[in-house]
Amino acid sequence: MQLLLIRHALPELAEVTEGRADPSLTDEGRAQARRLPAALAPYRITGLFSSPQKRALETAAPVAQVLELPVTQLEGLAEYDYEQPHYIPMHEVLERAPETYARIKAGWLPESVDADAFRERVLGAIDDVVAATDNDATVAIFCHGGVVNIVLQELLGLERPLTFPIEYVSVTRILVSRNGSRRVGSINETGHVRNMLRV
């Protein structure tokens, strides 16, 4: 089994006075997402899963349309900011929240996040995907940088939960054997959007 963990494309800045912020993609982000069907064409994808957040669902949409597959939403795949009333794209965090930026860049979740609960939620969702997928299948999972990092932390035995700077619409491959063991196939593949990445 192969799990393709795909980070969402570039979203808008969002701030709300009530409830949770749930931004859509920017025009640039939609252009990034349109690169995915061609990038994923070599894989025989049989299932699509996504975080319920708009930025992940909108990233999944072009792939779902081309493959004519439904997208199964799993709340466990939501990012650690799921309940927050604001979303700040990472390239804007340095200016707006320098202490949070420094903490994330050092590899740690924001202090407001219950790291154990987030980890348990994410790993539980990945277990659900594996349980719902045939042994020889490939599925795409549209999620978030924090989610991808938690999976990598678990598989690689890393101390820090945010070790890797996961790029927008990057692909990270996880291989699952028939006996259930898992290993990392690749991390942060970005060839399909190399000319669209922010430096």
Side-chain angles (χ1 to χ4, degrees):
M1 184 189 309
Q2 187 166 213
L3 310 180
L4 306 178
L5 305 182
I6 302 165
R7 188 189 178 195
H8 61 79
L10 178 66
E12 299 172 337
L13 173 71
E15 296 177 287
V16 297
T17 55
E18 294 183 4
R20 61 172 70 111
D22 193 14
S24 294
L25 299 181
T26 62
D27 289 343
E28 181 181 352
R30 284 188 283 273
Q32 291 171 341
R34 288 194 293 270
R35 298 276 185 96
L36 282 171
L40 300 178
Y43 301 103
R44 300 180 65 179
I45 295 172
T46 60
L48 304 177
F49 297 85
S50 178
S51 155
Q53 292 169 279
K54 284 181 183 177
R55 57 192 187 269
L57 290 168
E58 291 177 6
T59 302
V63 177
Q65 182 176 16
V66 168
L67 296 182
E68 298 182 335
L69 289 172
V71 179
T72 300
Q73 297 183 40
L74 295 177
E75 194 168 39
L77 296 172
E79 185 61 296
Y80 56 76
D81 63 3
Y82 188 38
E83 301 294 336
Q84 296 298 312
H86 58 268
Y87 174 80
I88 305 173
M90 193 60 196
H91 64 278
E92 296 186 35
V93 173
L94 176 58
E95 178 181 346
R96 292 172 172 266
E99 291 183 2
T100 298
Y101 180 88
R103 186 174 173 86
I104 291 172
K105 282 296 184 180
W108 303 105
L109 292 162
E111 290 184 344
S112 60
V113 176
D114 183 332
D116 290 338
F118 177 55
R119 177 186 178 86
E120 182 178 358
R121 170 165 67 76
V122 168
L123 297 179
I126 296 298
D127 286 345
D128 290 344
V129 171
V130 170
T133 303
D134 291 339
N135 287 331
D136 58 352
T138 295
V139 296
I141 302 172
F142 297 86
C143 53
H144 309 266
V147 171
V148 176
N149 263 299
I150 288 295
V151 175
L152 293 173
Q153 181 193 23
E154 173 72 7
L155 294 182
L156 298 176
L158 304 172
E159 177 187 5
R160 294 174 297 161
L162 300 180
T163 299
F164 298 96
I166 303 298
E167 302 284 357
Y168 293 122
V169 294
S170 66
V171 179
T172 293
R173 296 184 301 114
I174 306 299
L175 308 177
V176 184
S177 68
R178 289 182 180 273
N179 67 9
S181 65
R182 303 172 193 182
R183 61 186 174 89
V184 179
S186 66
I187 299 172
N188 211 32
E189 295 179 20
T190 57
H192 51 293
V193 285
R194 187 168 292 124
N195 67 330
M196 301 180 78
L197 297 178
R198 293 176 176 268
V199 295

